[in-house]
Amino acid sequence: MLEQLLIFTRGGLILWTCKELGDALKGSPIDTLIRSCLLEERSGAASYNYDAPGASYTLKWTFHNELGLVFVAVYQRILHLLYVDELLAMVRRGFSEIYDPKRTVYNDFDETFRQLRKEAEARAEELKKSKQMVKPVNNNKKQGQVQKAGSDKGSKKSGGNLAADGGDGDNGKGRKLENGHSHGNHVENEETRITGVVNGKENTSSNISAFDVSKLQKRTKTGKKTDSVVNKGSKVDPKTKVTKKNRVWDDAPPQTKLDFTDPVDGNGNENIVVVAANQGESMMDVEEIISSDSEGEEDDDDDVEKDSKPEAKKKGWFSSMFESIAGKANLEKEDLEPALKALKDRLMTKNVAEEIAEKLCESVAASLEGKKLASFTRVSSTVQAAMEEALVRILTPRRSIDILRDVHAAKEQRKPYVVVFVGVNGVGKSTNLAKVAYWLLQHNVSVMMAACDTFRSGAVEQLRTHARRLQIPIFEKGYEKDPAIVAKEAIQEATRNGSDVVLVDTAGRMQDNEPLMRALSKLIYLNNPDLVLFVGEALVGNDAVDQLSKFNQKLADLSTSPTPRLIDGILLTKFDTIDDKVGAALSMVYISGAPVMFVGCGQSYTDLKKLNVKSIVKTLLK
């Protein structure tokens, strides 16, 4: 049953709703659709699923781009309504005939909708009945034919086998099974044959002369014996912990420990070397100036036009001139395809993930289809302008990313502002954590580091080196400790000492490593940080989608909280190594919805800057 059908403008003005269906929707599916799908350039999707307490809805929509109208249908997900797409198309056609921009009330459309709905339901019922009538006849015919053929072949083969093999029972059984299941699953028969060979049940007079079954039997028997011997000998008492022994080279005295996290040397003296960390002003506080290259943009438009010419139909000089002056009636999908294909290829060459480039092009096509082309404008320039607008909308943060303001707000509440750095291995979490600490120190914010990477060798020493150079305190507990407990104790220590910010370093982990992802989920749940920063490389292409989506999915699935914390922001590293391949920023923001808060662009403490949205969009479309 249809739950609701709405018609509203792109500005958000509701023009008509179905009064018969009522307003008994649970949650806010329409608002969620607008916020997380239509505004995020995901309108090219076929449908959207919304889960609310006690209900699960599916939403489908269509646009009238020329009039700027949106038509949305809502129904229960468990009901697979076949007529919704057709009903939306009929409603779109009917409402566009009576639409007047000056009107805001359309009560006269109720009767029209009732008729359209009955029409769509009747067509769906007819289609359903016709499918039910056709299916059984075909199935019976096919089954009868296959069974008849199977029985004939079975009788011939079984007789032949008995005569040739002298009544070999196993072979006969195998062939009966094969013929008996010929109308069903053929793969099962292959599997039964293979298992028969492995177990040595099939006759050795088979056609496979190179395969000796007797040798295989001997090997399997001997293999089982050796396995059992190994299992018996390798029993280890679970209570005793196995420790790795240090290797002794020649006659050198054995070392007592391998954990060098203690800053005291062998004589009991502190071996601390402080290096001046004042490297100048951080690039976060420097405004980036962008030059407008109109010539380059014109060349790009020409390139798109050239790419689209071979695929487009050839038109006469007079017709093309007339269209450019008068403007085209309505843009169709065929008109947009060449320009969109060129844009998709261009985005992919800039390191945008293929899946995301395709979705963006579908969304732009959905927003332009049916629109009237203005005079003296080309399709390629119209598509490029729409894509530019979509990219700016995606990359622009939807919330404030002013960390300094949030730090001062937390300071007024007399608690430290906690930032957790997460990400895969080797992306530069510890280095960029130090850059963020340096930037905060320049704004007179007291910072403390928490060494919660208790997994990787050398991680604590690396962070301690940064802390010494920056002359800030570090909280560490060595290795093989629970990182969630270390982070909790670090926050308590920062509260006692009056530190404004705690920067928590975590171990690098792949998105498929469930034990480490579970430990990260525990750390976030136990300490409830103010900001969870995902540190990702600007070098990745399609893997950016996999990393972020799986990180968010694992954090949600493994969390014990009913409202799990996900990734709040992104820190892009190695941005100075990619030239114009800036597509990873777009891929990460699109897949997670989190803004890019920092960009690492070098190896010194000052090499940290903000993401310039206009610069990124210009580079992507260049």
Side-chain angles (χ1 to χ4, degrees):
M1 177 186 171
L2 200 66
E3 295 289 328
Q4 187 55 273
L5 197 141
L6 284 88
I7 304 173
F8 55 91
T9 64
R10 284 188 180 271
L13 176 64
I14 298 175
L15 299 175
W16 181 85
T17 58
C18 184
K19 294 174 184 175
E20 291 181 3
L21 300 174
D23 298 323
L25 290 176
K26 295 181 181 178
S28 53
I30 307 294
D31 294 341
T32 309
L33 172 74
I34 294 169
R35 189 169 55 249
S36 61
C37 194
L38 302 185
L39 292 178
E40 289 294 318
E41 297 300 326
R42 292 180 172 88
S43 54
S47 62
Y48 178 76
N49 293 329
Y50 174 81
D51 293 317
S56 296
Y57 298 116
T58 295
L59 291 86
K60 290 194 173 184
W61 62 91
T62 187
F63 301 112
H64 198 301
N65 291 315
E66 190 179 353
L67 302 178
L69 300 178
V70 185
F71 304 81
V72 181
V74 187
Y75 60 93
Q76 291 281 354
R77 194 186 308 168
I78 197 170
L79 304 172
H80 297 287
L81 301 183
L82 302 174
Y83 62 85
V84 174
D85 292 325
E86 188 179 357
L87 179 63
L88 280 172
M90 292 163 69
V91 169
R92 177 179 178 272
R93 204 179 307 117
F95 191 82
S96 61
E97 292 174 0
I98 64 168
Y99 175 69
D100 183 4
K102 296 177 182 178
R103 284 181 64 183
T104 55
V105 180
Y106 292 87
N107 293 328
D108 55 335
F109 190 67
D110 292 347
E111 185 61 32
T112 309
F113 172 73
R114 200 176 295 114
Q115 292 174 0
L116 293 175
R117 187 181 171 192
K118 285 180 181 177
E119 218 175 299
E121 286 177 351
R123 285 186 190 175
E125 282 294 324
E126 286 176 10
L127 189 66
K128 196 174 178 183
K129 285 178 182 176
S130 63
K131 282 183 179 178
Q132 287 176 351
M133 291 290 288
V134 170
K135 274 184 182 178
V137 177
N138 291 340
N139 288 342
N140 290 335
K141 281 183 182 178
K142 286 180 182 177
Q143 285 180 1
Q145 289 171 0
V146 172
Q147 284 176 355
K148 196 180 284 183
S151 61
D152 293 342
K153 289 178 184 176
S155 59
K156 289 178 184 177
K157 284 188 178 180
S158 58
N161 288 334
L162 286 170
D165 298 338
D168 190 356
D170 292 337
N171 251 343
K173 284 179 187 176
R175 297 193 184 275
K176 279 182 184 176
L177 178 69
E178 180 179 343
N179 294 322
H181 289 277
S182 61
H183 67 277
N185 192 354
H186 291 278
V187 178
E188 187 181 347
N189 301 327
E190 294 293 331
E191 288 175 357
T192 51
R193 276 189 231 140
I194 291 165
T195 50
V197 172
V198 172
N199 295 328
K201 291 181 181 177
E202 191 167 325
N203 195 0
T204 53
S205 63
S206 62
N207 295 328
I208 308 169
S209 58
F211 190 79
D212 194 352
V213 182
S214 58
K215 287 183 181 179
L216 179 64
Q217 287 176 345
K218 288 177 184 178
R219 284 180 185 175
T220 51
K221 285 177 184 178
T222 52
K224 285 179 183 177
K225 286 179 182 178
T226 51
D227 291 344
S228 60
V229 171
V230 171
N231 291 335
K232 285 178 183 178
S234 61
K235 282 187 178 180
V236 182
D237 191 2
K239 293 180 182 178
T240 60
K241 189 176 180 181
V242 180
T243 56
K244 185 178 178 181
K245 295 180 180 180
N246 299 339
R247 177 176 288 182
V248 180
W249 298 97
D250 299 331
D251 298 328
Q255 293 179 350
T256 55
K257 66 170 185 175
L258 287 174
D259 188 359
F260 296 103
T261 55
D262 192 3
V264 181
D265 61 10
N267 299 324
N269 302 319
E270 288 194 358
N271 188 16
I272 298 174
V273 180
V274 178
V275 182
N278 189 9
Q279 298 181 0
E281 187 180 7
S282 175
M283 292 174 70
M284 281 288 293
D285 304 316
V286 178
E287 290 293 330
E288 192 175 351
I289 301 168
I290 305 171
S291 60
S292 58
D293 299 332
S294 57
E295 294 178 1
E297 290 176 5
E298 287 176 6
D299 294 340
D300 294 337
D301 288 345
D302 292 337
D303 292 341
V304 173
E305 194 70 25
K306 284 175 187 175
D307 292 339
S308 62
K309 271 182 183 177
E311 297 182 21
K313 292 181 180 178
K314 290 185 178 179
K315 296 181 180 179
W317 175 84
F318 180 76
S319 60
S320 60
M321 178 63 73
F322 180 76
E323 273 191 8
S324 65
I325 294 171
K328 194 171 179 184
N330 286 313
L331 284 171
E332 297 176 1
K333 201 169 186 180
E334 292 76 16
D335 304 324
L336 299 170
E337 275 178 3
L340 285 172
K341 186 179 183 303
L343 265 181
K344 181 188 172 184
D345 293 341
R346 189 185 299 179
L347 288 173
M348 287 171 64
T349 57
K350 303 290 183 181
N351 224 7
V352 178
E354 182 184 0
E355 177 191 348
I356 288 167
E358 194 171 340
K359 285 182 179 178
L360 275 171
C361 290
E362 286 174 2
S363 179
V364 169
S367 66
L368 288 177
E369 197 175 341
K371 268 191 175 181
K372 188 174 181 181
L373 191 66
S375 303
F376 297 103
T377 53
R378 291 176 295 182
V379 175
S380 58
S381 56
T382 306
V383 169
Q384 178 136 344
M387 180 63 79
E388 185 177 350
E389 186 184 339
L391 294 178
V392 170
R393 193 184 302 123
I394 291 168
L395 290 171
T396 304
R398 299 192 303 274
R399 59 178 178 81
S400 172
I401 57 171
D402 188 357
I403 291 182
L404 293 173
R405 189 190 68 176
D406 297 339
V407 168
H408 290 303
K411 193 176 180 180
E412 289 176 0
Q413 298 177 6
R414 295 182 179 180
K415 64 173 187 177
Y417 186 82
V418 183
V419 184
V420 175
F421 292 77
V422 303
V424 300
N425 308 77
V427 293
K429 287 183 295 299
S430 305
T431 306
N432 285 276
L433 181 146
K435 292 180 188 179
V436 173
Y438 180 80
W439 171 66
L440 290 170
L441 288 172
Q442 287 191 320
H443 290 272
N444 300 319
V445 175
S446 59
V447 183
M448 187 176 82
M449 293 182 178
C452 295
D453 185 355
T454 61
F455 186 76
R456 174 173 65 91
S457 301
V460 178
E461 290 84 358
Q462 180 186 3
L463 208 64
R464 191 193 300 135
T465 304
H466 287 304
R468 287 174 188 166
R469 294 196 65 192
L470 296 171
Q471 300 179 26
I472 58 176
I474 178 172
F475 187 87
E476 55 178 272
K477 286 287 185 180
Y479 296 102
E480 296 185 356
K481 306 291 191 301
D482 188 352
I485 303 300
V486 175
K488 188 176 183 180
E489 292 178 1
I491 295 167
Q492 292 171 353
E493 182 70 19
T495 308
R496 284 193 295 270
N497 297 341
S499 298
D500 299 331
V501 178
V502 180
L503 302 178
V504 180
D505 185 32
T506 62
R509 63 205 78 214
M510 295 307 292
Q511 60 269 26
D512 298 319
N513 192 330
E514 189 164 326
L516 287 177
M517 289 303 298
R518 193 178 295 278
L520 180 63
S521 179
K522 179 186 175 184
L523 186 148
I524 293 172
Y525 171 70
L526 194 65
N527 297 286
N528 192 24
D530 298 282
L531 184 66
V532 179
L533 269 182
F534 178 85
V535 184
E537 283 182 330
L539 300 165
V540 294
N542 288 321
D543 199 40
V545 178
D546 190 55
Q547 286 178 11
L548 265 166
S549 58
K550 284 190 177 176
F551 254 82
N552 267 335
Q553 184 185 349
K554 291 287 183 184
L555 288 177
D557 293 345
L558 300 175
S559 177
T560 54
S561 172
T563 54
R565 283 290 300 278
L566 303 178
I567 290 165
D568 302 317
I570 298 165
L571 194 156
L572 269 177
T573 65
K574 307 176 186 178
F575 210 73
D576 54 322
T577 64
I578 57 171
D579 193 24
D580 62 342
K581 305 288 190 292
V582 295
L586 177 64
S587 300
M588 289 183 177
V589 173
Y590 188 90
I591 203 68
S592 67
V596 176
M597 306 184 76
F598 301 100
V599 174
C601 54
Q603 297 182 7
S604 61
Y605 290 133
T606 58
D607 293 329
L608 190 75
K609 62 181 182 180
K610 298 175 185 175
L611 183 76
N612 195 315
V613 174
K614 290 182 181 177
S615 173
I616 295 293
V617 172
K618 184 180 172 184
T619 308
L620 284 170
L621 298 178
K622 188 164 64 175

